[in-house]
Amino acid sequence: MNDNSRLGPATGIGSLPGTDAREAAKTSTGTFEDFPFLPELPARGPGADMIGRTAGMLVELYARVEPSGWRLGDRPGRDTKRARAWLGEDLDALEEFTQGHEGPLKVQAVGPWTLAAALELRNGEAVLSDAGASRDLAASLAEGLRLHLAEVRRRVPGARVVLQLDEPSLTAVLRGQVRSASGYRTHRAVDRQVVEAALRDVAGMQGGDPVVVHSCAPDVPFALLRRAGVTGVSFDFSLLTERDDDAIGEAVEGGTRLFAGVVPGTDTALSDPAGSVMGVRTLWRRLGLRPGLLAEAVTVTPTCGLAGASPDYARRALAHCVRAARSLADNPE
């Protein structure tokens, strides 16, 4: 999984405000001509949220909405059908606006561990509570994603499809911080090698095309993700501490691409584009990395999804990512 320098200089994370699939696809493809992404519109309701959308991709596993969240059931119900219908609508819109596109195109799905922490078994506990169920879920997800990515490639034949696995709960899974259904206790920490193996298996069905893992939580496990064979790690840059320096330096030197979330995900006044990436330049100097490597190793993104932003701010934030990436390429020092 090398040659990640051909990924674009800037892209979005996934979610956008609003409910209009065509408008969202037009914004994504119009802003990021080099590296568009398939937008997600959770404001449409259950099935358009990240958990429901990914649950709709599972093979031979089905989920429905309960008052407590998404729960596995025996057969596809209306919630699964709705999730699949919205995904189809989003793919139709993407296909319309990517005619002739050649180059990277990013699609997102929830990764196996955040999914296991969020989906419930029939008894109401998280799938995470059962090692066998967690394995079955990861296998179902891998197969579902294989089919989904094949469909994206069929619709946008010139694309080099990049898969982003959203794993905001990954650190909590590793630390035993995911709460039980009662809320009074937490599920035990999952062994790091088990976590790594599942991520490697799910990423492996990309057949060598790029896989990025995204988490906007603190303490992203860079070294574990590198060992799992991912191409890139997407994170909220503002949450980094100097404790992360060694892992990030090793990742960059090992060829891992950094998707640096530097543009706030909710409405705020935006600084000048060069100011947005000043922290990235500072990190580079601190690590003693070659400035010329910056544009090859970094993709600029918002800190997290933009579903909670106003439509106007979301458009400005995405355009700001493009300008910030240009500033980084023009003035790496």
Side-chain angles (χ1 to χ4, degrees), residues 234-254:
S234 170
F235 55 97
D236 179 343
F237 194 86
S238 69
L239 298 178
L240 288 185
T241 68
E242 293 199 13
R243 280 201 319 270
D244 297 306
D245 278 10
D246 288 349
I248 288 178
E250 286 168 16
V252 172
E253 286 174 345

Side-chain angles (χ1 to χ4, degrees), residues 43-237:
R44 292 184 292 199
D49 60 300
M50 61 189 258
I51 299 298
R53 184 180 181 86
T54 302
M57 297 179 194
L58 296 173
V59 171
E60 293 178 5
L61 286 178
Y62 310 103
R64 62 176 186 272
V65 180
E66 296 285 341
S68 53
W70 285 89
R71 182 172 296 182
L72 293 176
D74 296 322
R75 62 184 71 84
R78 63 164 190 238
D79 298 320
T80 300
K81 289 175 184 150
R82 191 189 298 128
R84 290 175 178 172
W86 273 326
L87 181 59
E89 195 179 295
D90 294 338
L91 288 170
D92 288 345
L94 184 76
E95 184 178 359
E96 179 184 344
F97 288 101
T98 50
Q99 295 293 313
H101 174 73
E102 292 189 356
L105 165 68
K106 185 166 71 65
V107 299
Q108 306 80 222
V110 178
W113 294 108
T114 296
L115 202 58
L119 280 181
E120 298 173 0
L121 296 165
R122 289 176 183 78
N123 65 6
E125 285 296 351
V127 171
L128 188 68
S129 66
D130 181 322
S134 296
R135 274 195 303 276
D136 291 345
L137 180 64
S140 170
L141 175 64
E143 179 58 17
L145 286 173
R146 190 182 66 73
L147 296 170
H148 173 53
L149 294 165
E151 173 70 3
V152 175
R153 290 185 181 102
R154 185 184 67 75
R155 287 168 175 261
V156 193
R160 182 185 187 210
V161 182
V162 178
L163 171 64
Q164 175 182 302
L165 295 172
D166 291 320
E167 283 283 15
S169 301
L170 184 58
T171 303
V173 167
L174 288 165
R175 291 184 175 172
Q177 293 170 338
V178 177
R179 296 214 160 273
S180 65
S182 68
Y184 293 125
R185 57 182 188 83
T186 54
H187 296 293
R188 69 176 55 174
V190 181
D191 181 270
R192 295 181 85 82
Q193 287 177 315
V194 173
V195 169
E196 188 185 315
L199 284 166
R200 187 183 297 108
D201 288 348
V202 174
M205 62 76 233
Q206 254 284 63
D209 275 346
V211 177
V212 177
V213 171
H214 166 69
S215 170
C216 41
D219 298 320
V220 175
F222 287 94
L224 181 151
L225 294 173
R226 241 182 81 226
R227 287 195 305 273
V230 306
T231 318
V233 182
S234 170
F235 55 97
D236 179 343
F237 194 86

